Amino acid sequence: MAAKKLRRAQLSQEMCERLGRYQITTCQDFLCLSLLELMKVTGQSYYEVQKLLCKVSRACAPKMQTAYEMKLRKSVNPSSAFLSTTLHSLDGVLHGGVPCGSLTEITSPPGCGKTQFCIMLSVLATLPVSMGGLDGAVIYIDTESAFSAERLIEIAANRFPTYFDSDEKLFCMTRSIHLYRELTCCCVLKRIMSLEEEIISKKVKLIIIDSVASVVRKEFDTKLQGNLAERSNFLTRGASVLKYLAEEFSIPVILTNQITTSLSSGPGFRADLVSPADDLSLSE
Amino acid sequence: MQREVGTLPLAPALRARLAAAGFQTAQELLDTGPCGLSKEIGISREEALEALQVVRQECHGDAARTAGGSGATRKCTALELLEEEQTQGFIITFCSALDNILGGGVQLTKITEICGAPGVGKTQLCMQLAVDVQIPECFGGVAGEAVFIDTEGSFMVDRVVDIAAACVQHCHLIAEAQQEEDLGKALETFSVENILSHIYYFRCRDYTELLAQVYLLPEFLSEHSKVRLVVIDGIAFPFRHDFEDLSLRTRLLNGLAQQLIIIANDHRSAVVLTNQMTTRIGQSQSTLVPALGESWGHAATVRLIFHWDNSQRLATLYKSPSQKESTIAYHITSHGFRDVQPPAVTHSTEGPELNPRKRPRTEEEKQ
C-alpha cells in the first residue's frame, strides 16, 4: 500500500510528471512531506494541496469495517478459526486451539518439547478438516536443524494409525510439509518475505518458525554498540510481514522462543529474550 | 487588509509573479480587480478571479478574528471553559480506582496515552473504552461511537463480544435496581449487536496507511458525528522499524500529534493512544521508559503507565494537568477491565462528581 505509485492514486498525468522530477513517485513519499514542501513541489495553492492530500490518502487508507461485520464473518465459518492441538486441556485454555490469523509464540527452556510440539502440529495441519486438521500444506522454517523426518512419520503412524494405514498416505503427508533450513537472520528474513507466493501456490495452511531466538542470539551480541537497533529492526520487520501473512490468508503462524535468565538486583526471574509479537526491545 | 502578498495561501509561482510585478499588500490586489490583474502579471482572467477569491476569503477570516468573532481560532474566557469542563462527560473504564485517579474517567477533547510492557492490558483497556463510550447518558455514559485504528493486529472481536455482554448485563442490573422508565427505554437500543456495529475498525499495516487514515479522519468524523472516541492501538509499532531517518520520524510524529489534537478539539472526542516501552540504559542501571523518545512525551495530555509488580498489574498516572500522580491496582477478568476488590460506595470518594448527568453508582455485584 505504501509503495503504491502516485499514477494509480488518480492524480493527473502532469502532476505525476512534475512530482517525478522531485523524486516523489510513491504515496509514501508524498505523505511524508509537510504542507509547505508540498506547495513548493506541486506549485498549487494551500487549499488545492489539501485536496490532493485527501486524494492520495484515500488511495492508500485502509477500508473501514465495523466490529459487527468482523464478528459475522468469523461466525460464518467457525471451524476454520482454530487449529485444535488435540490436547484437551490446552484447547480448553486457548478457547479452541491455536488461533488462525495471528501469531502464536511457544517458549520454554531447552528440552521441554517445543520442536516435538511443532512436528505434531505439522501432522495435524495436513489432516482433513473432518479430523480436526486444516487440510493444507505446512511451511517449516528450521534454524536449528532439529527437524527429524523419521520422528514425523513415527508420530503420524502412532497417533493416527487408522488414518495413516498405508505407506502411501504417509508419503502423501510428508510431501506437503515443506522444510527450509535457514541459518542466518538475513536468510530467515528473505525467506519470510518470499512466503506470500509459496502460500498461494502450495496451498499452505500453517507456518512454523523454529526457532527465532537461536538465530538472533547467534548473530546479535546485545553488549555491542549498534546491535540492539539492528536486532529490533530485524524482529519488527519479520513480525510485521508474518502478521500480514497470518491475517491475509487466515492461517496460524507459530514461532518458538527460548528462555533466558535475566540478572537483576532482585531475585533472578525468567524473561523472554525476544518477543517478536509485541517486542520489548532495547532502546535504539 | 494590509496583509502582505507573500503570506497569502496562493501558489508559489503566482506569488513570485506578484512580487516581481511590485504588489505588496492584499488591498492592492483587491483594488486592481481580475481583469487588471490578469493583464499586469500575464495570467488568464479565470486564474486571476480565483486568486482574488482566495485573498478575499483570507481577509474576511482575518477581520473576523480581530473582531473577536468565531473564526479558525477559538477565544473564550476561563469561566466559559470551566462551565464547559464541568458539564463534559467522561468515558468510564469500569475500574473505579482508575476512574478516580483520572478524575472521572478518560476525558473528552484530550489525548490520553497508555504505555506499558507487552501483555499488561493496554489493548484490553482500549477495547473496554470502545464499549464504554456507547453507554447511554442516563447510565452516566456519553452515548457515543468509537473509531478503532489498529496497527498491531491485536483486536479480538470475540473479546469485545465478552466485554460488551458484561457491560449490557451490568446496565440491566442497574435498571432493575432503580426501576425507572427511561433506563428501560435506553436499554432497548443498547445491545451487543448495536455496540459492535458502532465500533469502526481500521487496520493500518504501516506508517503510510496510518498517516493517510489520520488525514482522512476529520472527514470521517464529520460524517459520523456521534463518534466520541478515537483509539489508535499501537502508535509506536509502525514507527519503530524501517526508519533510518530519525528526524523524519520526529517530524511525522509531531505532525500526527497536532492533527490528533485538532481532531480531539473540533469533534469533542477523546483520543487514546497506546505506546510500547523501551529500555534506556543509564550509567549503572537500565530503566523502562515509554518508546518514541522524549519529544513524543509532549504530545499526550494525560499519560498512564501500566506495569507489573510481581503478579499484580498496576497503573500509574504519570502525567496529568489536573490530577496528582498516583498508582492503583487493576484486574483483567473475563468481563473486561475491573477493580481488584469491589469498590466502596461512598459518594465523597467518587472524586470531583460535578457531572449532573452521572447517576451515583449503587452497590452492584461484581461478577
Side-chain angles (χ1 to χ4, degrees), chain B residues 28-101:
Chain B
E28 281 183 48
L29 286 179
L30 291 175
D31 287 338
T32 316
C35 295
L37 201 63
S38 73
K39 278 189 214 124
E40 256 194 73
I41 54 177
I43 54 175
S44 74
R45 287 203 198 128
E46 288 78 22
E47 284 175 14
L49 184 61
E50 263 183 58
L52 281 182
Q53 280 171 345
V54 168
V55 171
R56 209 164 279 136
Q57 203 178 24
E58 278 302 306
C59 290
H60 274 166
D62 283 344
R65 252 173 269 149
T66 50
S70 69
T73 47
R74 268 184 9 167
K75 202 182 72 144
C76 56
T77 63
L79 180 63
E80 290 167 15
L81 207 54
L82 180 65
E83 286 169 8
E84 218 180 277
E85 278 182 13
Q86 284 187 349
T87 53
Q88 203 165 266
F90 292 92
I91 306 177
I92 62 170
T93 61
F94 265 101
C95 169
S96 54
L98 188 59
D99 287 341
N100 277 339
I101 63 170

Side-chain angles (χ1 to χ4, degrees), chain B residues 164-197:
Chain B
C167 182
V168 170
Q169 198 196 23
H170 188 96
C171 291
H172 272 285
L173 289 174
I174 296 183
E176 274 169 29
Q178 302 219 329
Q179 290 291 336
E180 278 180 48
E181 220 191 280
D182 51 345
L183 294 186
K185 244 195 295 193
L187 274 182
E188 283 168 25
T189 48
F190 191 59
S191 65
V192 173
E193 287 82 29
N194 230 319
I195 297 179
L196 287 182
S197 22

Side-chain angles (χ1 to χ4, degrees), chain A residues 1-2 28 39 43 45 47 57-58 60 62 64-68 71 74 233 236-237 243 247 278 281 283, chain B residues 9 11-12 58 118 152 157-158 161 196-197 199 201-203 205 207-209 215 219 240-242 278-279:
Chain A
M1 271 297 131
Q28 189 172 19
M39 278 175 71
S45 72
Y47 301 109
S57 301
R58 248 186 288 270
C60 44
M64 192 267 287
Q65 34 180 332
T66 64
Y68 190 50
K71 174 161 167 284
K74 265 200 164 182
N233 219 347
T236 39
R237 200 135 35 109
K243 278 194 199 191
E247 284 175 18
D278 188 356
S281 61
S283 74
Chain B
E58 278 302 306
E152 295 172 343
V157 187
D158 303 310
V161 170
L196 287 182
S197 22
I199 299 180
Y201 178 77
F202 297 89
R203 173 79 170 94
R205 298 246 155 76
Y207 72 90
T208 312
E209 289 188 19
Y215 275 127
E219 202 186 305
R240 287 187 85 187
H241 63 98
D242 265 353
T278 183
T279 320

Side-chain angles (χ1 to χ4, degrees), chain A residues 19-34:
Chain A
L19 291 171
R21 261 177 273 146
Y22 291 93
Q23 255 92 54
I24 301 172
T25 46
T26 64
C27 291
Q28 189 172 19
D29 301 330
F30 194 87
L31 289 174
C32 281
L33 297 175
S34 71

